[in-house]
Amino acid sequence: MASEIRLGQLIAPFGPGSIYTDKNGVPNIICGLDFWYKKQDERGQWQAGETALQKHVIIEPRLSELLNVPHFRQPPQYYSDHQNQELSRLDVQTHRFPTWYVNNVTGKLRRFSLNALRLAPPEKGPTGPKGLWRPVRFISVCAHGHIADFPWKRWCGCICPSDEGLILRDLGGPDLRSVKVTCQACNKSHTLAGAMFMDRDPATGKITASGLARAGIACGGERPWLGDATEACAEAPVAVLINQSNIYFGKTISSIFLPNLGSERDILEIQEILGGQELKLTGVQVLLKVGLREDALKQLQDILKPHYATLPDDDSILKAFESLGRGDRSVYSGLQPELEDSKGLAFRRAEYNVLRREIGPGKSSELRVMPSCIPSDFSSWLGAVNLVERLRETRVFYGFERLTRSGSPLDGMPAAAMRQLFRDPPEAEYQWLPAIKNYGEGLFVELQEEAIRAWLDKNCVWLQERFDKEFVGRMASETLLLPPGLTSACTWQWAARYLLVHTLAHILINQLVFECGYASASLKERIFVSCDVVAPMAAFLIYTAAGDSEGSLGGLVRLGRPELFEPVVRRAVSRASWCSADPVCSENLGGSGSRLVNMAACHACVLLPETACETINSGLDRAMIVGTPQKPEAGFLCGLVEGFAI
């Protein structure tokens, strides 16, 4: 199956536990990590590729520290013909799911095994073939992540020992009353009316009732992505369509590689050498964790010997290894926040502190940042425009959710991910998660702090009326927005600041797709926002990254030049000043979007493909940039709107 799916897609959207329909139209479930890095021998038996396991190691210390996982591994790449037989024909296994199929002529239901490679041939009638087997449309899932076939027999009340005799009829009516399952052996039957019912607690979002639970059907804890594994579960099962978008939410997190800018030249040279030896560094990590410092040092020295006539001293070698890829936080000690950041916000602040500096050639092979001149007309509100000529993004998959997204996806790591993604989880020092390295380019744009504060003061009454406590509270509960660590810090000022920065990033992306040659789905964003008094942040990174060593062609960085950047911004703001859905789009209805944390934002103006927005199009308000039809002067960049006089 790996030959059909690109490497990046195995991180999202087709990670373990997801349903993938192959080129023959057969739905399959992507297997857990125990089933990766294997290939079939001449007898058809699956054998582990040990060499492949070692060759695909990725080291990203910041993500390892955040997720508490020692290392990561790139998904196996399928080669049909390769000189190294250990790395060829590697597959990511899949299991057939759902296992129930229906004959499109007779309506008969038949069950196939998880591993069935082929379906039965068409049934024979008096005059030839009589119908083909098609996968059923209905399955069952629960909020704890389990997924199973729809319980056809129990739903219709059939108690026959065999699966034979079930018939599924779809009369094509407007609702599920036209879909009926019948057992010909015991004459039990039931329509699917009410099967997909689901009720939630409005306060917590927890599922309190479902159609299957009302019929006395409990979740069996099935985990078909791990084979026939099951576990106890008290969650109510919910009947869903196999192609519903809420049956799988992959949990991913990414980081930008940070060089050690504050380190001495000899430390940087050591790190450049160590950076290409990720497999060996995994062993060094294990040795240091168990206290075998001398053995770890010897392995590091063996890596460095071919590159040095005289090896550096032991302290320098260990210092270079321990700070590899973590950035040098001491360089930015003057920008530490007054109040402690949340874990996610602190992770993002480290990137902000590096991207706003110049990183020229020779300092790092993984990140290069050059400052650009700010257009003179933008100097009153723009703090910096940096050209990120090269960057490395590491994206990690660490689990999935069904039906609803968790408010705290990192809770329980790494135990939660190991239990969900592995049938037999590895020992702590050998735990890993799938990841992929992408290389690309980008534009880092920072707003001027004085201009933001002046705008907040000038429009404080209007902003407080627009963002009431309920709206700010919903924003604060969305972990994707990286709210401050303390709930008390989630004020209307923070909400306005976040909506301003995030929406400006979106309108620029919408304009850049016409200028730089990239599609909107190929561009991504990283938002840096904090309302801390000592160390505020108001910036964003628009970047593109591809899973190869070259990355991109420079079309995005080129637009950061002042003579090109100024007209791009003016055109972007001008387009955002009017939406075909106005005045409805700009109305204050207390919140819009799937999470009710948007204001003036719709598909006609600022929404982007979900691959481009890190918050899945949450936390947006076009009025922060251009105001509303009733109050255009309230927009932060109202002066750039054509025909508007300040």
Side-chain angles (χ1 to χ4, degrees):
M1 186 60 66
S3 59
E4 293 186 23
I5 306 176
R6 293 186 289 111
L7 292 185
Q9 291 180 315
L10 285 168
I11 302 299
F14 299 123
S18 66
I19 295 177
Y20 171 76
T21 302
D22 65 19
K23 59 186 178 183
N24 298 315
V26 178
N28 299 268
I29 193 164
I30 306 295
C31 287
L33 302 182
D34 309 77
F35 299 84
W36 288 28
Y37 303 102
K38 293 185 178 183
K39 57 184 176 180
Q40 288 182 298
D41 58 20
E42 60 278 0
R43 296 174 298 174
Q45 300 296 316
W46 290 99
Q47 304 293 332
E50 295 298 333
T51 303
L53 283 172
Q54 299 172 0
K55 291 289 185 180
H56 290 79
V57 173
I58 294 176
I59 299 294
E60 182 61 48
R62 294 176 61 239
L63 280 175
S64 290
E65 183 179 347
L66 182 67
L67 299 174
N68 200 20
V69 175
H71 69 280
F72 310 100
R73 289 176 181 163
Q74 179 177 290
Q77 190 166 359
Y78 187 91
Y79 297 103
S80 59
D81 186 16
H82 196 278
Q83 292 182 349
N84 188 342
Q85 294 301 313
E86 287 291 330
L87 296 179
S88 66
R89 302 187 183 278
L90 293 170
D91 259 318
V92 170
Q93 294 183 57
T94 62
H95 287 157
R96 182 180 301 283
F97 186 84
T99 59
W100 282 100
Y101 279 66
V102 61
N103 187 283
N104 66 337
V105 173
T106 65
K108 286 186 178 180
L109 282 169
R110 183 171 177 180
R111 194 169 192 171
F112 296 86
S113 69
L114 282 173
N115 308 340
L117 297 179
R118 295 181 181 176
L119 296 179
E123 289 195 337
K124 295 291 184 179
T127 59
K130 189 179 179 182
L132 298 174
W133 295 103
R134 306 293 188 193
V136 296
R137 295 184 294 150
F138 301 93
I139 57 175
S140 168
V141 302
C142 86
H144 283 174
H146 302 126
I147 187 169
D149 286 291
F150 186 88
W152 300 106
K153 290 171 65 69
R154 297 185 63 188
W155 179 255
C156 71
C158 172
I159 56 174
C160 299
S162 171
D163 289 341
E164 297 295 329
L166 289 176
I167 301 291
L168 182 65
R169 296 290 189 187
D170 188 346
L171 302 179
D175 55 33
L176 293 180
R177 285 177 294 183
S178 63
V179 182
K180 188 176 184 179
V181 58
T182 304
C183 177
Q184 292 180 322
C186 63
N187 292 323
K188 298 283 188 180
S189 65
H190 201 301
T191 70
L192 265 61
M196 300 181 68
F197 168 77
M198 180 178 65
D199 194 20
R200 296 179 184 271
D201 184 332
T204 64
K206 182 179 175 61
I207 297 172
T208 56
S210 72
L212 295 181
R214 286 180 173 180
I217 301 173
C219 178
E222 291 92 342
R223 299 188 292 170
W225 66 94
L226 301 179
D228 56 359
T230 61
E231 61 183 4
C233 180
E235 193 73 19
V238 178
V240 295
L241 293 171
I242 192 173
N243 58 353
Q244 276 187 211
S245 60
N246 67 340
I247 65 173
Y248 186 83
F249 298 114
K251 296 194 292 186
T252 62
I253 190 169
S254 65
S255 71
I256 303 297
F257 178 85
L258 302 182
N260 299 81
L261 300 179
S263 299
E264 300 84 356
R265 183 60 196 170
D266 57 338
I267 299 295
L268 295 176
E269 290 176 353
I270 295 172
Q271 289 178 338
E272 286 294 317
I273 298 171
L274 296 180
Q277 302 289 332
E278 293 179 301
L279 171 61
K280 295 179 180 179
L281 296 185
T282 304
V284 174
Q285 285 180 332
V286 174
L287 292 173
L288 287 175
K289 192 171 184 178
V290 298
L292 300 177
R293 183 178 182 275
E294 295 301 322
D295 292 342
L297 180 60
K298 184 178 184 307
Q299 286 201 18
L300 291 172
Q301 291 171 338
D302 290 341
I303 297 173
L304 297 173
K305 278 179 182 177
H307 303 274
Y308 285 93
T310 303
L311 284 173
D313 61 88
D314 296 351
D315 290 339
S316 295
I317 295 176
L318 287 173
K319 180 180 178 182
F321 171 75
E322 291 170 354
S323 61
L324 180 64
R326 298 180 185 274
D328 195 333
R329 301 169 188 172
S330 63
V331 175
Y332 310 102
S333 58
L335 290 175
Q336 293 306 307
E338 181 181 53
L339 301 175
E340 184 178 0
D341 286 334
S342 63
K343 185 184 295 186
L345 189 58
F347 188 82
R348 191 60 60 88
R349 185 182 291 277
E351 297 174 359
Y352 168 79
N353 287 335
V354 171
L355 291 172
R356 65 202 305 257
R357 285 178 53 117
E358 178 179 354
I359 305 174
K363 291 187 178 181
S364 173
S365 61
E366 306 279 33
L367 183 66
R368 185 160 60 250
V369 182
M370 302 300 293
S372 179
C373 295
I374 299 174
S376 57
D377 289 348
F378 293 174
S379 59
S380 61
W381 61 270
L382 196 57
V385 177
N386 288 349
L387 312 180
V388 185
E389 297 177 349
R390 182 173 174 83
L391 61 83
R392 189 188 91 184
E393 176 200 46
T394 302
R395 185 170 294 272
V396 175
F397 174 86
Y398 64 99
F400 60 86
E401 296 164 319
R402 304 197 193 276
L403 296 180
T404 185
R405 293 183 181 273
S406 169
S408 305
L410 290 175
D411 286 355
M413 287 295 296
M418 296 299 114
R419 184 174 62 253
Q420 187 180 56
L421 301 179
F422 287 90
R423 186 184 179 106
D424 299 305
E427 297 295 327
E429 58 268 25
Y430 300 107
Q431 290 177 351
W432 61 277
L433 290 171
I436 189 168
K437 291 192 295 186
N438 297 317
Y439 292 87
E441 58 170 337
L443 290 176
F444 177 81
V445 178
E446 183 175 7
L447 305 187
Q448 195 176 98
E449 185 60 29
E450 293 77 7
I452 294 177
R453 291 180 179 176
W455 171 71
L456 291 173
D457 291 340
K458 179 181 178 181
N459 299 282
C460 63
V461 175
W462 177 72
L463 291 170
Q464 290 182 72
E465 291 176 351
R466 191 168 181 82
F467 308 131
D468 56 25
K469 291 183 179 180
E470 288 75 14
F471 182 84
V472 176
R474 290 196 297 270
M475 286 189 64
S477 65
E478 283 296 307
T479 54
L480 289 176
L481 304 186
L482 299 179
L486 294 177
T487 305
S488 59
C490 297
T491 61
W492 65 268
Q493 292 96 330
W494 166 75
R497 178 188 292 259
Y498 186 93
L499 294 168
L500 166 65
V501 174
H502 191 196
T503 310
L504 181 57
H506 273 230
I507 67 172
L508 271 180
I509 290 176
N510 274 328
Q511 184 61 37
L512 286 170
V513 299
F514 297 107
E515 314 275 351
C516 68
Y518 292 107
S520 57
S522 300
L523 298 177
K524 302 177 184 178
E525 65 176 7
R526 294 180 84 79
I527 306 300
F528 308 92
V529 172
S530 171
C531 57
D532 189 86
V533 176
V534 176
M537 294 190 294
F540 56 86
L541 171 69
I542 298 173
Y543 68 104
T544 183
D548 57 61
S549 59
E550 298 303 322
S552 49
L553 301 176
L556 186 57
V557 164
R558 174 177 172 271
L559 293 177
R561 300 174 183 172
E563 67 274 13
L564 299 176
F565 186 71
E566 180 176 355
V568 167
V569 173
R570 290 187 180 277
R571 285 193 288 269
V573 174
S574 179
R575 288 184 63 206
S577 65
W578 183 83
C579 172
S580 59
D582 276 337
V584 177
C585 178
S586 297
E587 286 181 349
N588 184 355
L589 301 176
S592 63
S594 61
R595 314 292 283 188
L596 297 181
V597 290
N598 290 343
M599 282 292 185
C602 71
H603 286 284
C605 52
V606 299
L607 298 190
L608 294 174
E610 289 187 357
T611 55
C613 178
E614 65 175 3
T615 67
I616 319 178
N617 282 323
S618 296
L620 296 165
D621 185 4
R622 183 167 48 90
M624 298 298 97
I625 309 296
V626 296
T628 63
Q630 298 78 21
K631 194 175 175 63
E633 70 277 6
F636 183 74
L637 297 181
C638 62
L640 298 183
V641 177
E642 186 176 350
F644 181 86
I646 301 179

